[in-house]
Amino acid sequence: AMGGGQKDQEEVASAVFDLLSAASSAGVLPEEEALSWAARGLALLPSATSSEVSRSVLAHISNLLPQLPAGGSRQRGLAAAFLVAVFGMLLQSPAVRQDPTLP
């Protein structure tokens, strides 16, 4: 069972990633910081129970990807990790477990 502490942490994480996404879009978040937070977000996704924190992490990464040098190793690496995270979330989502015809 999820304790109140985890729920509170995920609410904070969601707000943090929303702010990071906005800062990245505005061009005020240095690339190194944005990538570091993206890695933290990807590490958070497998244990996230909140759809909001998942959405916020994915939005941050979605905003960051086009800002990285096109075709560069950083963009390719983040894109690959992003796809793995999205597919993992799809495979583990309650909707897919309830309706196996979705995939």
Side-chain angles (χ1 to χ4, degrees):
M2 178 179 57
Q6 182 177 355
K7 182 179 180 190
D8 292 343
Q9 288 176 348
E10 288 192 352
E11 286 178 9
V12 170
S14 179
V16 166
F17 279 97
D18 286 343
L19 291 171
L20 288 166
S21 183
S24 182
S25 293
V28 296
L29 184 64
E31 184 178 297
E32 289 297 324
E33 285 295 315
L35 287 166
S36 176
W37 279 103
R40 289 178 185 140
L42 288 170
L44 177 69
L45 287 178
S47 63
T49 59
S50 162
S51 61
E52 284 302 307
V53 75
S54 299
R55 179 202 56 78
S56 297
V57 168
L58 296 176
H60 170 61
I61 295 169
S62 294
N63 287 332
L64 176 58
L65 277 169
Q67 297 175 25
L68 298 173
S73 62
R74 288 179 171 195
Q75 188 185 53
R76 289 192 319 265
L78 183 56
F82 178 75
L83 285 173
V84 167
V86 169
F87 290 139
M89 289 173 61
L90 287 172
L91 292 172
Q92 296 173 11
S93 82
V96 172
R97 284 195 299 262
Q98 292 174 9
D99 184 355
T101 64
L102 286 175

